[in-house]
Amino acid sequence: MPVVDFWFDPVCPWAWMTSRWMDEVTRVRDVDVRWHVMSLSVLNEGRDLPDGYQRLMAESWGPVRVLVAAARDHGDEVLKPLYDAMGTRRHPGGRTDTAAIVAESLAEVGLPAALADVAATDEVDDLLRTSHRAAMDLVGDEVGTPVVAVDGVGFFGPVITPAPTGEAAGRLFDGLALVTSVPGFYELKRTRTQGPVFDAPATHQE
């Protein structure tokens, strides 16, 4: 069974799309998916960014800190349901009220409301940076989120929209697994011409 390590930042819409694909993969392929936090705020520290993106990076510290604190206190198994709760509100839900998203998501998955207090502190930043660095050690610093690794070989992406479903999702995973088996394979890329499609109709292909 392939082991898939998936690093995400909950504010990133592209990571959200890829995570929905990975959910489909687990339905059609035998895979062991392990979820981890990375941080766009950490990734972009010290970089000259447009004002709007700087504001997003300042705001995005909170959710990743809460996720890391939740995993520290309650085990890694809480990462995925908490991410799902946060992401559903932010991405298909279209919300940007981060503090409310965090509070509601903690309540939804049955975690203590007090975990939200860590959002404005650096209490778990060492743990956050360690998790983030594990992704960067696989792929380098000139990437974003998500980072997906199959049996220890990682890439940035795939970046996809809408998320394929059913056997189409499985075939994409088969292709990713294949390229991870080629030691010299590094990159495929083309310019994105479409934004994330959160509400695409299901198109299961069996």
Side-chain angles (χ1 to χ4, degrees):
M1 180 185 296
V3 174
V4 177
D5 289 286
F6 191 113
W7 281 266
F8 64 90
D9 184 314
V11 305
C12 178
W14 294 106
W16 178 255
M17 299 302 302
T18 307
S19 72
R20 300 310 93 184
W21 161 68
M22 187 54 62
D23 282 347
E24 284 291 313
V25 172
T26 63
R27 297 184 179 102
V28 296
R29 294 292 186 271
D30 242 0
V31 293
D32 176 14
V33 183
R34 303 173 185 179
W35 299 88
H36 313 275
V37 179
M38 64 181 292
S39 170
L40 289 172
S41 298
V42 173
L43 183 68
N44 287 292
E45 280 182 314
R47 298 184 181 181
D48 186 17
L49 303 171
D51 287 346
Y53 201 68
Q54 282 183 336
R55 287 193 295 272
L56 177 62
M57 292 303 94
E59 185 178 313
S60 68
W61 281 103
V64 289
R65 286 168 168 164
V66 172
L67 281 154
V68 168
R72 177 197 63 184
D73 295 349
H74 300 278
D76 288 343
E77 62 271 16
V78 304
L79 281 175
K80 181 58 163 50
L82 186 55
Y83 174 42
D84 287 346
M86 289 181 180
T88 298
R89 288 166 171 79
R90 179 174 291 273
H91 300 302
R95 291 173 53 185
T96 57
D97 49 337
T98 299
I101 288 171
V102 167
E104 292 172 19
S105 299
L106 289 169
E108 178 181 321
V109 301
L111 289 170
L115 282 170
D117 296 342
V118 80
T121 77
D122 62 1
E123 177 185 336
V124 296
D125 283 9
D126 286 348
L127 292 172
L128 172 59
R129 290 177 187 278
T130 297
S131 181
H132 177 85
R133 176 47 54 189
M136 298 299 96
D137 285 347
L138 290 176
V139 297
D141 292 317
E142 299 303 318
V143 299
T145 175
V147 169
V148 180
V150 180
D151 291 333
V153 180
F155 289 96
F156 162 55
V159 176
I160 45 178
T161 190
T165 58
E167 186 56 25
R171 289 195 299 270
L172 177 57
F173 177 77
D174 296 340
L176 177 63
L178 178 61
V179 299
T180 63
S181 71
V182 180
F185 185 92
Y186 290 101
E187 184 174 3
L188 281 174
K189 189 169 184 177
R190 62 175 174 167
T191 300
R192 290 196 301 262
T193 58
Q194 184 178 12
V197 179
F198 300 123
D199 57 352
T203 54
H204 288 273
Q205 299 180 28
E206 304 300 341

